[in-house]
Amino acid sequence: MEIYAEHGCFGGTQRFYKHASKECGGEMKFSVYLPPQARERTVPVLYYLSGLTCTEETFAIKAHAQQVASELGLMLVGPDTSPRSERYPGDADAYDFGVSAGFYLDATQAPWSKTYRMYSYVTRELPALVNANLPVRAGAVGIFGHSMGGHGALTLALKNPEQYRSVSAFAPIAAPMQCPWGTKALGNYLGADRETWRAYDASELVAKKAYPAEILIDQGTADKFLAEQLHPQLFEAGARKSGQKLTLRMQPGYDHGYFFIQSFMADHLKHHAALLGG
């Protein structure tokens, strides 16, 4: 992997990498914040999955996470949201499907199945690369995300509890089978059989089996996507079925954007540090 940009930040280093990805069929990029503690020892790593329209730069620039990560000794890794090297007809016609909208799944429908393998990329290929080249503390891995990335964080953690010791989300697409964003993405990437969609629906997954640790979700009440697209109440209902420990905080007056994320970022980083040992 190759560093294509590097900046000093709160005593640590903000880097941006690129590398050749087998899963995604071409060049992929990701961001890494290395806290100052990483110069002397291994540190926990926290993966952040961004939402629709975002890139590997969005979280690093807009979330204002580095100061608290520096204090807690957390490494932050932020992958891109979709493959970009191989292009397909119509892949940029809409903001909610195709480029910047990989939905953190492995597509099964042509042509997307060739390179839209973000689930395998995030859970296998990227961690292998990070672990081999950066000072990651073994077994101290968490995941969180926003909107489409919140959907990704919840589903990846619920499907791989042995890999992720902590999980949280900001305004996640909590029940994609029940919203326009989700049905469009799942239908096109996975096909018409809705039974196959359940493997990537956090509300379906949590209803069947609880995640070992408490899950933290923040959701703004002024979010314009809340009623139609996000459905945190369905995730909450699923959590009750399985006995999942869940803190769902409805935050009055906050919308869907990064000012909302900035406001509660410290809480999420502390939640992860407590479980990972920052």
Side-chain angles (χ1 to χ4, degrees), residues 79-247:
D80 200 354
T81 47
S82 72
R84 298 177 190 267
S85 294
E86 186 81 13
R87 300 300 301 271
Y88 305 106
D91 65 3
D93 288 352
Y95 77 96
D96 57 354
F97 183 77
V99 173
S100 295
F103 270 82
Y104 305 103
L105 51 74
D106 284 351
T108 60
Q109 302 299 300
W112 315 102
S113 56
K114 182 180 178 182
T115 58
Y116 273 67
R117 297 183 51 80
M118 291 300 294
Y119 176 85
S120 290
Y121 176 71
V122 172
T123 60
R124 294 201 295 268
E125 186 175 21
L126 180 58
L129 194 66
V130 169
N131 293 345
N133 291 277
L134 296 169
V136 175
R137 183 183 299 168
V141 181
I143 192 166
F144 68 152
H146 168 236
S147 194
M148 177 185 71
H151 141 78
L154 292 172
T155 56
L156 267 59
L158 287 163
K159 289 162 71 70
N160 301 277
E162 72 291 343
Q163 181 170 348
Y164 302 106
R165 283 177 50 188
S166 60
V167 61
S168 72
F170 299 94
I173 303 173
M177 293 180 69
Q178 308 300 325
C179 75
W181 280 341
T183 55
K184 180 178 182 178
L186 299 178
N188 281 286
Y189 288 136
L190 301 178
D193 183 2
R194 291 178 64 93
E195 286 302 310
T196 66
W197 300 6
R198 297 185 188 278
Y200 294 105
D201 186 304
S203 295
E204 295 284 331
L205 292 170
V206 77
K208 291 183 178 180
K209 186 177 181 180
Y211 178 76
E214 182 179 6
I215 296 174
L216 171 63
I217 295 177
D218 274 308
Q219 172 64 61
T221 63
D223 190 326
K224 66 180 180 180
F225 302 115
L226 176 56
E228 183 179 27
Q229 303 281 14
L230 304 179
H231 302 307
Q233 76 281 359
L234 297 182
F235 186 84
E236 186 175 36
R240 284 197 296 269
K241 288 184 180 179
S242 65
Q244 172 66 54
K245 295 179 181 179
L246 171 66
T247 297

Side-chain angles (χ1 to χ4, degrees), residues 31-94:
S31 66
V32 175
Y33 177 68
L34 289 166
Q37 296 88 341
R39 297 191 188 100
E40 300 178 353
R41 60 180 183 271
T42 59
V43 295
V45 62
L46 184 54
Y47 286 83
Y48 178 89
L49 306 184
S50 293
L52 295 167
T53 77
C54 294
T55 72
E56 78 285 351
E57 296 182 343
T58 308
F59 169 72
I61 295 171
K62 298 177 70 174
H64 297 187
Q66 292 92 339
Q67 182 172 8
V68 177
S70 173
E71 296 167 358
L72 296 173
L74 293 174
M75 185 189 306
L76 305 174
V77 176
D80 200 354
T81 47
S82 72
R84 298 177 190 267
S85 294
E86 186 81 13
R87 300 300 301 271
Y88 305 106
D91 65 3
D93 288 352

